[in-house]
């Protein structure tokens, strides 16, 4: 029987991570107003969220700073302007650093000189040597460090095992299960958690989950992972994120029984801020084109283009995607 079956209790080790600015930023090129970012930070404080991912540490040599909002790059000064300098932080702050897309040695400063608490390294299985170098660099600088192995639904189990063993021997704190394409089902998540837990238990690591909602299973898959012992749970307000979006914060807060968490500030923020984004024409969330890419275990880039072109020919799109198989 899964731990989650005891719905009247809670597990102290669970950590809620808000990824709205980062994953949601993929929808609007990170052009959030400062007022939105401040309100989001305050909502996280009030809701008891443990970590807030404020965006990427993307390379300014690779990405044009004129074409993206500030949360693509997360300059320390920009972060401080949102959270302030005097008040004690109630929520720890995280940034994501993609292998091959981040000048981590220069752009990620020592923890003592930065408002950031956690560096989340994102990589594919074949990028593990560089990912571990980034992990070691961040740990030496004083950060908590996680590693998100992306697109595991397309990786071979043998390769995942090698990657997990490499990570286990590294100083990483948390290893993330990432359903990049929203293609996984709860039963598969259970088997993947068992695989990851084999190495996490061996090396004393925590596990996290980052789910996408292509098949409307992001919340279900997160529940499955929680019940199997995964502690770090990613969510976004109103499920805002790339394509079909993510596990929604309101669903997650409705599930967790720890009295430190509160759903009311989440609902208030959605009412005041997320609804405004949708009225302004920002589009995210489940739709048939994302279902199709999820079913076929394909990257959602084609579905994102379908959405931007305001197409509605789902059957034709399905045939187009089949042709790529």
């Amino acid at each position: 029987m899964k731990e989650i079956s005891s719905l009247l209790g809670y597990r102290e080790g669970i950590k809620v991570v808000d990824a709205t600015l980062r994953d949601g930023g993929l929808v609007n090129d990170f052009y959030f107003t400062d007022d939105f970012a401040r309100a989001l930070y305050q909502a996280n404080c009030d809701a008891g969220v443990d970590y807030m991912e404020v965006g990427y540490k993307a390379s300014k040599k690779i990405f044009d700073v004129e074409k993206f909002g500030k949360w693509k790059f997360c300059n320390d000064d920009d972060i401080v302007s949102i959270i302030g300098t005097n008040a004690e932080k109630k929520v720890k702050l995280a940034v994501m650093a993609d292998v091959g897309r981040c000048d981590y040695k220069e752009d990620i400063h020592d923890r003592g000189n930065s408002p950031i608490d956690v560096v989340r390294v994102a990589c594919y299985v074949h990028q593990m040597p560089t990912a571990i170098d980034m992990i070691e660099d961040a740990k030496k600088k004083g950060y908590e460090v996680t590693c998100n192995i992306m697109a595991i639904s397309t990786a071979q189990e043998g390769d995942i095992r090698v990657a997990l063993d490499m990570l286990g021997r590294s100083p990483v704190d948390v290893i993330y299960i990432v359903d990049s394409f929203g293609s996984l089902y709860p039963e598969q998540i259970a088997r993947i958690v068992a695989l990851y837990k084999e190495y996490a238990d061996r090396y004393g690591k925590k596990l996290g989950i980052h789910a996408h909602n292509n098949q409307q299973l992001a919340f279900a898959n997160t529940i499955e992972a929680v019940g199997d012992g995964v502690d770090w749970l990613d969510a976004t307000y109103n499920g805002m994120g790339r394509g079909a979006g993510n596990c929604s914060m309101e669903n997650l807060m409705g599930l967790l029984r720890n009295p430190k968490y509160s759903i009311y500030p989440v609902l208030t923020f959605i009412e005041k801020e997320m609804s405004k984004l949708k009225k302004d024409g920002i589009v995210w969330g489940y739709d048939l084109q994302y279902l199709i890419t999820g079913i076929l275990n394909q990257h959602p880039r084609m579905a994102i283009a379908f959405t931007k072109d305001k197409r509605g020919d789902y059957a034709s799109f399905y045939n187009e995607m089949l042709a790529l198989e």
Side-chain angles (χ1 to χ4, degrees), residues 21-22 25-26 29-31 54-60 62-65 67-75 96 98 101:
L21 276 188
R22 200 274 306 168
L26 295 169
D29 291 331
F30 304 91
Y31 284 113
V54 293
Y56 283 98
K57 273 288 188 183
S59 170
K60 295 173 185 175
I62 298 175
F63 298 96
D64 188 345
V65 296
K67 294 182 179 179
F68 297 94
K70 63 179 68 174
W71 306 115
K72 178 77 169 178
F73 307 100
C74 288
N75 296 327
M96 181 164 282
D98 279 352
R101 299 180 178 182

Side-chain angles (χ1 to χ4, degrees), residues 129-183:
T130 303
I132 289 175
D133 188 66
M134 294 173 67
I135 290 165
E136 291 174 345
D137 179 77
K139 284 302 286 187
K140 287 177 183 176
K141 291 173 178 174
Y143 294 97
E144 294 178 69
V145 186
T146 76
C147 184
N148 291 31
I149 309 176
M150 299 183 290
I152 57 168
S153 60
T154 64
Q156 296 182 8
E157 180 178 328
D159 292 339
I160 294 174
R161 284 186 175 275
V162 172
L164 290 173
D165 192 64
M166 294 172 71
L167 281 174
R169 297 173 188 275
S170 81
V172 76
D173 298 295
V174 185
I175 303 171
Y176 260 84
I177 297 161
V178 184
D179 183 14
S180 299
F181 301 163
S183 64

Side-chain angles (χ1 to χ4, degrees), residues 87-105:
E88 181 181 346
K89 281 191 297 182
K90 293 182 179 179
V91 179
K92 289 186 176 182
L93 303 180
V95 293
M96 181 164 282
D98 279 352
V99 169
R101 299 180 178 182
C102 174
D103 302 316
Y104 58 98
K105 292 187 183 295

Side-chain angles (χ1 to χ4, degrees), residues 18 21 32-46 52 54 70-71 77-85 91 93 237 265 269 273:
D18 167 41
L21 276 188
F32 295 103
T33 66
D34 286 356
D35 286 343
F36 178 94
R38 289 190 186 98
L40 177 60
Y41 175 72
Q42 188 59 54
N44 282 325
C45 291
D46 295 340
M52 175 176 170
V54 293
K70 63 179 68 174
W71 306 115
D77 290 344
D78 290 330
I79 298 173
V80 171
S81 73
I82 297 303
I83 66 169
T85 56
V91 179
L93 303 180
Y237 284 72
F269 181 81
E273 301 293 341

Side-chain angles (χ1 to χ4, degrees), residues 118-298:
V118 184
V119 174
R120 283 155 58 98
V121 175
C123 67
Y124 296 101
V125 169
H126 67 277
Q127 298 173 317
M128 196 53 61
T130 303
I132 289 175
D133 188 66
M134 294 173 67
I135 290 165
E136 291 174 345
D137 179 77
K139 284 302 286 187
K140 287 177 183 176
K141 291 173 178 174
Y143 294 97
E144 294 178 69
V145 186
T146 76
C147 184
N148 291 31
I149 309 176
M150 299 183 290
I152 57 168
S153 60
T154 64
Q156 296 182 8
E157 180 178 328
D159 292 339
I160 294 174
R161 284 186 175 275
V162 172
L164 290 173
D165 192 64
M166 294 172 71
L167 281 174
R169 297 173 188 275
S170 81
V172 76
D173 298 295
V174 185
I175 303 171
Y176 260 84
I177 297 161
V178 184
D179 183 14
S180 299
F181 301 163
S183 64
L184 297 173
Y185 296 94
E187 182 182 349
Q188 292 172 296
I189 290 292
R191 294 200 299 268
I192 291 168
V193 171
L195 170 61
Y196 275 55
K197 207 167 188 308
E198 178 184 335
Y199 292 88
D201 289 347
R202 181 186 304 170
Y203 291 108
K205 309 297 184 183
K206 293 286 189 179
L207 293 179
I209 184 166
H210 181 88
H212 279 267
N213 205 39
N214 297 61
Q215 299 185 87
Q216 301 197 76
L217 290 172
F219 180 49
N221 285 338
T222 300
I223 292 175
E224 183 72 32
V226 173
D228 289 328
V230 172
D231 282 333
W232 285 49
L233 314 175
D234 283 17
T236 63
Y237 284 72
N238 226 183
M240 186 183 189
R242 184 200 64 187
N246 304 92
C247 174
S248 69
M249 185 66 75
E250 56 271 25
N251 278 128
L252 188 57
M253 285 297 181
L255 167 74
L256 300 176
R257 295 294 182 261
N258 190 329
K260 70 166 287 192
Y261 298 127
S262 172
I263 194 173
Y264 186 81
V266 176
L267 298 175
T268 302
F269 181 81
I270 291 170
E271 176 186 334
K272 293 182 177 179
E273 301 293 341
M274 303 306 294
S275 299
K276 191 187 306 179
L277 291 182
K278 289 191 172 183
K279 287 179 182 177
D280 290 341
I282 307 299
V283 178
W284 72 87
Y286 170 80
D287 207 337
L288 287 180
Q289 61 270 29
Y290 296 117
L291 170 67
I292 290 166
T293 58
I295 290 171
L296 298 177
N297 196 19
Q298 295 282 343

